[in-house]
Amino acid sequence: MSMGRVLTSNRLIARAGRLAWLVAGAVLLASPPHVAGDGLGGARLVGVSSRIEGRASAVVIETTEPVAYVTAQPDPLTLLVDLRNVTSSSSLPMARNAGVLDGVSVESATAEDGVTIARVRLTLAHPGKPTVRSRWNTVIVEFGTRLNDAALAPSIAGPRPVSTLTAGPRPVSTSTATPLIASQTPSAQKAPAAAQTASAGTLSGIETSTGPEGTRVRFTGSGLIKPGSVSLTKGLPARLVIDFPQVVATLPATTPIGKGPIDKIRVAVNSRQPLVTRAVIDLKYPVGYRVESSDESGLTILLDPAPGTAAVPATPPAQPEAAAAPAKPAPKPVVAPPATEPRPAAPPVTVAPPAPVVVPPQAPQPAAPTQPEPKTAPPGAQVSTVSPPPTAPPDSLGQGGKKYTGHLITLDFQQVDLRAVLRGFTEISGLNVIVDPSITGTVDVVLKEVPWDQALEHILRANKLGYTVENNVVRIAPLATLAEEETARQKLKDAQAMSGELKVLNRTLSYAKADDLKELLLKSALTQRGQVQVDKRTNTIIITDLQAAIDQAARLLDILDRPEPQVEIEARIVQTSRTSARALGVQWGLSGKAVPQLANTTPVSFPNQVSLGGRSGGTSETAQGNPLGTAVNLAASAATSAVGLAMGSVNGAFNLDVALTALENSGNARVLSSPRVMMQNNYEAEMTQGIQIPIQTVSNNTTTVQFKDAALQLKVRPQITASNTVIMDIKLENATADFSKSVNGIPPINTQRAWTQVLVNDNDTIVIGGIVVSQEQTQKDKVPGIARIPLLGWLFKRDTFSDENRELLIFITPRIRR
């Protein structure tokens, strides 16, 4: 890491720390004074120790009494813990390198208000996001799963009162703190592995398992089998090499695994003087790894599940050969991330608006990749800034699916001044913040690892506040104040707009009707002072209004006063009919007499004379030319052919005649009506052709004549679209008088009607309606009884059959005439 980057990181940290401590000082000044010895001015840093329990590890920072602290993570490999009103010593016991911890250092600083600050800098072996919590007079930094309190018990001397860590008065610690005694020196001053090992161990087992977190490898055995180094080879093939000093192996030379990224594990003696056993994990592809636990009974390594992930080598204990080498220098103040994982640039930050009257600001994006600066909170308030992982920037969802993109922070405030908290967001967001003088109150909030813009929105919403943005300046004020300002601003804008000089515009329209545009201009273009006058004789429109409204009205008139294309509509109405009829009938006539003139009277006195004749209607003649009545009258209507037969006696006493009639006809008819009309776009046209039938009505001795149309009528309103098609509202009616069915001389009207709306391409023809009527009729007339006699019955019945088919088709063709 270059010296420029170190200085830049220190400046960023100092900049954030100054603001946070100012906020803390303001809260302390507002709090009740404390008595001497309450722990606010004489706390001391006792020591820093590490704890490992299973897969979890923790760093415990112990002070003589509860103190306020601020955590920040300027880069993925550095965690800072600032302790306010705490003094430290260079001879403090420090935590040994274990798990994810690579180095520990303590720095002393002074805040702007003169308060002493002890800064504990933790250097991590690989990127991680620790969890920080407090318990009594200790600050616990945990990596992985949370440790049980029993595992931390050696770090806590005697029962201590629990500190609430708030901005108000805190309970005073009554017990004496016992300094922690570290079992080993820091990693920078480690002794050789052979000196740290009491006796040689035996490596006898390898256990592997896979899960969602990755593939886990566990080396077990007896005695002390702590690793001397763990490293990942550069280039391909990928191998993970673990050296165990003063350890012998009873394992086979090669153990096939075949799980996750592991192909096999090879174990052999690498050096006999000093004794070093080397285990090589052959990988299928490069992966990241981390040492989960390393104790006297074994070593556990977790390999990442996804291929292609850049491996982050963990810093192992020193090699045995490194004993003679000079001690390493203490860790630098700022540690850069490994070259395989470059530090990402801070993402652009957007603050979501808490109310409709605000506009979300855009936080300025830094020119160079930087990390969030450490923030300092008032006593009793915890503010933790956590950098997002390089491959997964924070992205939280709010109400309505709103996304927050600010970096993650942790807030823990109790009765902290609202104005001081809002000012603290200046450094967090990088924006210029102006707090309205009317804002008062306190903040009680506990937020853990949420985007800073979401935290700001919730704090503003809880206090009924909003903000406005001008460039990179954010003004925070109550919602009522912002609403009143917006109303006053709108009134001022309206008053300024209405205070101008009135102008007059005269425009003679060529295509549009001035009277039709009057209401349109008043509602859409003119102000409240605007007036419109119309001269119908010259089709001139006169507009009086402000200059801006006059210009807008002129532009609107240019759009509306232009020629419209015309549309020619042609309709074809085709009516076809087909009829056919058949009929076959018969007529019988007879007469008979028994009278003295013919000397054929009956032998009785009554009836002595008898006369017999047809009575169904109609007459015929006998063979002698005498009229003869019709007994069976079933003649075909409008017969086109007939044949008759007459028979009689010599003296005419009995006569009989028969007549057969027949009919068969067919007909076809076709009527074509083709109305055509031309109209402008969006105007309705009507065309009518036919007759009017007079209808007389008599009421109160008054005769009234009304005329009813029996005509072909076409009404069309076209609308030309941008795609060169025509939308047509069509009303078509075809009415004809049927004089064959007149009643009192007034014929009925046969009507076909179609009302519809269609979309047709230019010069295309569409059928908008079709009516097909088919009618068949069969009729039989018979003489009762006799008509049922086989064969003979044909002479005593009449058969009639008729068939009629009618069809109506309506065709419409639009043609655009530009």
Side-chain angles (χ1 to χ4, degrees):
M1 176 184 299
S2 65
M3 182 61 67
R5 294 182 61 185
V6 173
L7 294 177
T8 301
S9 177
N10 286 337
R11 284 197 297 268
L12 293 177
I13 295 171
R15 180 184 175 190
R18 285 196 300 270
L19 176 67
W21 291 124
L22 286 176
V23 176
V27 177
L28 284 176
L29 291 176
S31 303
H34 299 277
V35 297
D38 63 352
L40 294 178
R44 290 182 297 103
L45 180 62
V46 177
V48 182
S49 61
S50 62
R51 294 290 182 270
I52 297 178
E53 181 185 12
R55 301 178 184 176
S57 59
V59 176
V60 181
I61 304 171
E62 185 176 9
T63 58
T64 56
E65 57 188 62
V67 296
Y69 67 93
V70 176
T71 64
Q73 192 170 10
D75 60 71
L77 295 176
T78 304
L79 178 67
L80 304 178
V81 182
D82 289 354
L83 308 175
R84 183 179 173 85
N85 268 331
V86 176
T87 58
S88 61
S89 174
S90 58
S91 59
L92 289 172
M94 294 296 176
R96 59 187 176 88
N97 294 13
V100 297
L101 187 62
D102 189 43
V104 181
S105 63
V106 178
E107 305 168 6
S108 298
T110 303
E112 293 185 356
D113 56 356
V115 177
T116 302
I117 299 174
R119 174 172 296 165
V120 180
R121 183 184 300 271
L122 304 179
T123 304
L124 309 181
H126 56 78
K129 187 171 65 174
T131 302
V132 183
R133 62 187 178 97
S134 61
R135 187 171 186 268
W136 298 347
N137 62 327
T138 59
V139 178
I140 305 168
V141 182
E142 296 177 318
F143 302 88
T145 309
R146 179 169 176 172
L147 291 178
N148 297 326
D149 291 339
L152 302 172
S155 301
I156 305 170
R160 292 181 176 91
V162 179
S163 173
T164 58
L165 295 182
T166 64
R170 298 185 302 274
V172 180
S173 176
T174 58
S175 61
T176 303
T178 302
L180 300 181
I181 301 176
S183 60
Q184 291 184 354
T185 60
S187 59
Q189 302 174 356
K190 288 186 178 179
Q196 299 175 9
T197 306
S199 60
T202 303
L203 183 63
S204 60
I206 299 177
E207 301 173 0
T208 60
S209 62
T210 58
E213 298 179 355
T215 303
R216 189 171 281 104
V217 182
R218 172 75 174 172
F219 295 89
T220 59
S222 59
L224 184 62
I225 57 171
K226 290 183 63 63
S229 66
V230 180
S231 61
L232 186 67
T233 60
K234 298 181 179 180
L236 296 177
R239 297 188 181 97
L240 186 63
V241 181
I242 306 102
D243 287 341
F244 296 91
Q246 297 298 318
V247 172
V248 296
T250 60
L251 296 171
T254 302
T255 303
I257 302 298
K259 292 182 180 181
I262 304 176
D263 182 17
K264 58 186 176 181
I265 299 177
R266 294 178 287 124
V267 180
V269 176
N270 184 55
S271 172
R272 298 189 180 276
Q273 291 297 331
L275 176 61
V276 177
T277 298
R278 172 167 293 181
V280 179
I281 302 177
D282 292 337
L283 303 175
K284 302 176 183 177
Y285 41 79
V287 296
Y289 74 93
R290 61 186 174 92
V291 178
E292 280 197 335
S293 63
S294 176
D295 48 29
E296 296 181 354
S297 61
L299 170 68
T300 303
I301 299 176
L302 177 65
L303 302 177
D304 294 341
T309 305
V312 182
T315 303
Q319 292 276 2
E321 300 87 274
K328 296 181 181 179
K332 295 182 180 181
V334 179
V335 179
T340 56
E341 292 191 3
R343 184 184 306 169
V349 179
T350 303
V351 180
V357 298
V358 300
V359 180
Q362 288 287 343
Q365 191 170 0
T370 59
Q371 295 297 332
E373 305 171 10
K375 310 300 182 298
T376 308
Q382 174 184 345
V383 180
S384 176
T385 303
V386 183
S387 299
T391 58
D395 190 5
S396 302
L397 290 180
Q399 294 182 352
K402 183 192 307 178
K403 290 187 176 181
Y404 301 99
T405 57
H407 55 265
L408 302 181
I409 64 174
T410 297
L411 303 177
D412 190 349
F413 294 135
Q414 180 178 357
Q415 295 297 316
V416 179
D417 183 62
L418 175 59
R419 299 176 62 86
V421 173
L422 295 179
R423 289 174 59 88
F425 278 95
T426 302
E427 294 294 334
I428 295 177
S429 64
L431 299 173
N432 299 317
V433 178
I434 300 176
V435 181
D436 191 90
S438 62
I439 295 179
T440 58
T442 58
V443 175
D444 287 277
V445 63
V446 177
L447 298 174
K448 295 184 178 180
E449 297 185 5
V450 298
W452 69 262
D453 47 353
Q454 185 179 12
L456 176 61
E457 177 180 341
H458 285 287
I459 292 175
L460 295 179
R461 186 183 303 158
N463 293 274
K464 297 182 179 180
L465 301 178
Y467 60 83
T468 58
V469 180
E470 293 182 4
N471 297 329
N472 65 335
V473 178
V474 180
R475 175 173 172 265
I476 300 176
L479 293 177
T481 302
L482 295 177
E484 292 176 0
E485 292 178 357
E486 185 65 24
T487 302
R489 188 180 300 109
Q490 186 63 36
K491 290 182 179 180
L492 178 60
K493 182 179 178 180
D494 294 342
Q496 292 175 348
M498 299 295 291
S499 62
E501 182 182 358
L502 295 180
K503 302 293 183 179
V504 179
L505 172 65
N506 301 325
R507 177 73 67 87
T508 300
L509 305 182
S510 301
Y511 304 101
K513 295 293 184 182
D515 197 40
D516 295 340
L517 300 182
K518 179 178 179 180
E519 291 297 327
L520 179 63
L521 293 173
L522 287 174
K523 292 181 179 180
S524 59
L526 303 184
T527 65
Q528 297 178 355
R529 299 178 62 185
Q531 295 181 356
V532 178
Q533 303 295 329
V534 173
D535 182 17
K536 295 184 179 180
R537 183 181 64 87
T538 59
N539 198 32
T540 301
I541 190 167
I542 305 169
I543 304 174
T544 304
D545 207 337
L546 301 175
Q547 185 61 49
I550 289 290
D551 296 340
Q552 185 175 355
R555 290 190 296 267
L556 185 58
L557 289 177
D558 292 338
I559 297 174
L560 299 177
D561 187 30
R562 62 182 181 181
E564 286 293 319
Q566 299 186 116
V567 181
E568 179 187 6
I569 305 296
E570 180 183 359
R572 293 185 181 90
I573 304 172
V574 181
Q575 292 177 280
T576 61
S577 62
R578 184 180 67 254
T579 60
S580 63
R582 296 192 305 274
L584 179 63
V586 63
Q587 289 178 301
W588 287 93
L590 59 87
S591 65
K593 297 179 181 179
V595 295
Q597 292 84 356
L598 299 178
N600 59 353
T601 58
T602 62
V604 295
S605 58
F606 181 86
N608 183 257
Q609 299 180 12
V610 177
S611 177
L612 177 64
R615 299 297 182 185
S616 64
T619 59
S620 60
E621 296 183 351
T622 64
Q624 294 80 13
N626 298 322
L628 186 63
T630 302
V632 177
N633 187 17
L634 298 176
S637 302
T640 57
S641 59
V643 61
L645 176 62
M647 297 175 289
S649 59
V650 175
N651 58 0
F654 183 78
N655 295 293
L656 178 65
D657 68 346
V658 60
L660 297 178
T661 57
L663 167 68
E664 182 172 358
N665 58 30
S666 62
N668 294 300
R670 181 173 181 269
V671 179
L672 174 62
S673 301
S674 182
R676 183 178 301 178
V677 63
M678 180 80 72
M679 72 220 68
Q680 278 193 345
N681 186 29
N682 291 316
Y683 279 86
E684 184 179 78
E686 177 181 354
M687 189 179 67
T688 304
Q689 184 269 329
I691 63 174
Q692 288 186 329
I693 301 174
I695 300 175
Q696 293 184 355
T697 57
V698 179
S699 177
N700 297 328
N701 297 324
T702 301
T703 302
T704 304
V705 179
Q706 295 180 349
F707 290 88
K708 177 67 175 178
D709 289 336
L712 175 64
Q713 187 179 55
L714 175 64
K715 294 182 180 180
V716 182
R717 179 187 295 273
Q719 178 184 345
I720 301 175
T721 66
S723 58
N724 208 36
T725 59
V726 182
I727 300 174
M728 294 181 291
D729 292 329
I730 302 175
K731 295 181 181 180
L732 180 63
E733 182 175 333
N734 184 27
T736 58
D738 189 358
F739 290 95
S740 64
K741 300 178 181 179
S742 299
V743 178
N744 296 328
I746 301 175
I749 298 176
N750 187 13
T751 303
Q752 294 90 29
R753 183 183 296 113
W755 290 2
T756 184
Q757 184 182 75
V758 293
L759 174 64
V760 189
N761 292 328
D762 181 26
N763 210 30
D764 281 359
T765 301
I766 186 173
V767 181
I768 65 169
I771 300 175
V772 177
V773 178
S774 179
Q775 181 178 2
E776 292 185 2
Q777 184 175 1
T778 301
Q779 182 178 352
K780 291 185 178 182
D781 301 315
K782 304 177 181 180
V783 175
I786 302 177
R788 301 180 182 274
I789 300 175
L791 299 179
L792 183 61
W794 287 98
L795 300 177
F796 294 92
K797 63 182 180 180
R798 175 176 60 191
D799 291 337
T800 304
F801 172 79
S802 63
D803 182 14
E804 181 178 5
N805 290 281
R806 291 177 298 175
E807 186 174 359
L808 173 67
L809 297 176
I810 303 174
F811 301 86
I812 296 292
T813 304
R815 296 183 180 90
I816 301 175
R817 307 298 185 186
R818 298 188 183 274

